[in-house]
Amino acid sequence: MRTERSKQSRQEIMRKILDAAIAEFSQHGFQGASTQAIAERAQLKKSQLHYYIEDKEALYSQVLGMVLDSWRNFFVFDAEPELTPREALSDFVRVKLDYALENPELSRIFTMEVLSGGARLENYWPGAMEATHAKVARINSWVADGSLRPLDGRLLIMHIWALTQYYSDYTLQAEMLLESSLTAPEVRQKIEQELIQFVLSGAGLRA
């Protein structure tokens, strides 16, 4: 019983540390964040924090890995051959937008890493590129059989990424323009419908 309580307590502390790290890294990036600030957010002493983590680099890599693993696991329409182009692209936009709206801090960490030169993404690129190339191949097969208008699958993926990522990277601007919180269900639904229609129409499908 004591072992189970100890394990649960450790998991709870690590969850607090990860939440604190995500908040700190999303605001200040790797260079601007400090283990002292992360410890304070997690309501721990710095010495306690370092009992649970190796160092800031290891913690940052763990958080960055969470982002890349989530994206790779969520966007798997290339592995579902029964989906039509309309269904697959609609689901892709919907899932990517949901992630941006529900995990804005994690999404911003990736953006900040790219803007800083992406040195710490080197180990993640092979897996990310493999997953992306599979999607591109699926899109290009739809172009080849006439299901979509002639287009470059790579650009379509990039455009969907840009359209959805905006709502995590530029939340403040979006809420100012919409005069509403992005968490409002009716606002979220409106954004989702508009983006899906925009992407489908751009790909040569009737919305």
Side-chain angles (χ1 to χ4, degrees):
M1 183 68 71
R2 181 178 298 176
T3 302
E4 291 180 1
R5 282 201 299 266
S6 177
K7 182 178 180 180
Q8 183 180 16
S9 177
R10 182 179 179 84
Q11 290 175 340
E12 291 173 353
I13 292 172
M14 280 305 303
R15 182 68 260 173
K16 289 176 66 176
I17 290 173
L18 282 174
D19 288 344
I22 290 168
E24 189 68 15
F25 289 135
S26 71
Q27 287 187 21
H28 305 291
F30 176 78
Q31 295 298 337
S34 69
T35 52
Q36 178 64 50
I38 292 170
E40 290 174 359
R41 284 181 183 271
Q43 299 179 318
L44 297 170
K45 294 180 180 179
K46 188 175 179 179
S47 59
Q48 290 176 305
L49 175 71
H50 284 282
Y51 175 79
Y52 292 95
I53 68 167
E54 182 180 348
D55 52 25
K56 185 174 77 166
E57 184 83 41
L59 184 57
Y60 184 73
S61 294
Q62 184 177 355
V63 171
L64 202 57
M66 289 170 58
V67 182
L68 276 297
D69 288 343
S70 294
W71 284 339
R72 185 167 57 249
N73 294 332
F74 285 167
F75 313 134
V76 291
F77 70 77
D78 50 291
E80 301 177 11
E82 72 280 2
L83 293 179
T84 66
R86 178 187 302 278
E87 292 169 337
L89 292 177
S90 297
D91 285 350
F92 185 36
V93 173
R94 186 178 296 108
V95 173
K96 179 61 177 67
L97 179 65
D98 284 347
Y99 192 90
L101 292 174
E102 294 171 10
N103 303 276
E105 292 180 324
L106 279 171
S107 292
R108 283 195 291 270
I109 289 171
F110 176 80
T111 298
M112 293 182 73
E113 176 60 29
V114 171
L115 291 174
S116 69
R120 292 173 178 80
L121 289 172
E122 184 176 346
N123 293 332
Y124 299 101
W125 283 132
M129 290 301 97
E130 181 181 0
T132 301
H133 289 157
K135 294 174 180 59
V136 169
R138 183 81 185 279
I139 292 171
N140 288 341
S141 72
W142 292 330
V143 173
D145 68 18
S147 298
L148 301 182
R149 70 169 180 81
L151 54 80
D152 186 328
R154 295 168 301 177
L155 292 179
L156 180 57
I157 292 288
M158 291 162 67
H159 292 157
I160 292 173
W161 204 267
L163 289 167
T164 53
Q165 192 69 16
Y166 168 83
Y167 292 96
S168 60
D169 294 350
Y170 292 89
T171 301
L172 177 62
Q173 183 188 50
E175 291 183 336
M176 290 291 290
L177 289 169
L178 293 171
E179 299 180 330
S180 177
S181 169
L182 295 183
T183 61
E186 66 278 8
V187 172
R188 182 167 173 164
Q189 183 179 29
K190 183 177 181 180
I191 293 170
E192 178 185 293
Q193 291 175 344
E194 186 70 27
L195 284 181
I196 289 175
Q197 290 181 16
F198 189 80
V199 169
L200 294 182
S201 296
L205 295 167
R206 288 188 177 182

